[in-house]
Amino acid sequence: QSALTQPASVSGSPGQSITISCTGTSSDVGALHFVSWYQQHPGKAPKLMIFEVSHRPSGVSNRFSGSKSGNTASLTISGLQAEDEADYYCSSYTTSSTLLFGGGTKLTVL
Amino acid sequence: QVQLVESGGGLVKPGGSLRLSCAASGFTVSDYYMTWIRQAPGKGLEWVSYISPSGKTVLYADSVKGRFTISRDNVKNSLHLQMSSLRVEDTAVFYCARGDDSDAFEIWGLGTMVTVSS
């Protein structure tokens, strides 16, 4: 299975909102409600930001939100802050019970 | 304190074997889905394998199927990944992680680097 498709980079100014897309197929993103998003700062381990499309783990800011439409999931970050600058990865459970990640999106806060 | 610490990485020649370990503290590994996820240098994340709490469900990515084996030591409260027939393209940081289900992982270790090179 091919990786999920994410834009290589997005950028925004402090205070703005940005959205990162994650496109899959009817065998993964489109089939199930199990899309997650991870934030990774350089040299650090990934951090779970969103699970099951739109749920936030305890401690994650409500500036982070997730949604899904058809085969595409989205992560929106509102009120952009300098500390949000990082790589973001989506992942989806598949109909084969495996996991697929997206290629990652580098977020730059201008 | 809930924590995962990986070990066992290193330099190995193509075709060689390596066994990674992940020591858990603050929780019991057999109560959760445990997974291995890797990241090649400068690249994205790639799921490798997971094991269910019961141990009855074990799945692998196609890229490692038949070469890697995930296991768990309930006495030592640890997770392992036995890797054989290693290839240059297996070079990566290997993370172990914990999830309440098999689709999302909230607790991660710091990773251990595996380099496959002649």
Side-chain angles (χ1 to χ4, degrees), chain B:
Chain B
Q1 182 185 2
V2 174
Q3 193 175 10
L4 292 166
V5 179
E6 302 93 337
S7 61
L11 175 63
V12 61
K13 287 182 167 49
S17 298
L18 209 56
R19 185 176 188 248
L20 304 184
S21 297
C22 173
S25 55
F27 72 98
T28 301
V29 292
S30 58
D31 287 341
Y32 294 89
Y33 280 86
M34 299 297 297
T35 191
W36 288 98
I37 290 166
R38 68 183 179 182
Q39 186 170 34
K43 302 296 184 182
L45 301 172
E46 180 188 15
W47 172 75
V48 173
S49 176
Y50 72 70
I51 183 169
S52 65
S54 69
K56 291 181 181 178
T57 300
V58 170
L59 282 166
Y60 300 94
D62 288 345
S63 58
V64 306
K65 200 174 297 182
R67 301 187 299 123
F68 291 10
T69 301
I70 192 171
S71 64
R72 200 174 59 200
D73 185 330
N74 293 341
V75 173
K76 295 184 177 179
N77 203 33
S78 60
L79 180 73
H80 302 279
L81 186 68
Q82 178 67 47
M83 305 184 295
S84 61
S85 301
L86 282 162
R87 306 166 181 168
V88 171
E89 55 265 34
D90 293 319
T91 294
V93 173
F94 281 73
Y95 295 100
C96 70
R98 181 196 97 172
D100 292 330
D101 273 298
S102 53
D103 63 289
F105 298 92
E106 190 170 2
I107 304 297
W108 292 62
L110 296 180
T112 186
M113 182 71 201
V114 172
T115 302
V116 184
S117 174
S118 54

Side-chain angles (χ1 to χ4, degrees), chain A residues 14-25:
Chain A
Q16 287 186 331
S17 294
I18 63 96
T19 296
I20 300 172
S21 62
C22 171
T23 301
T25 69

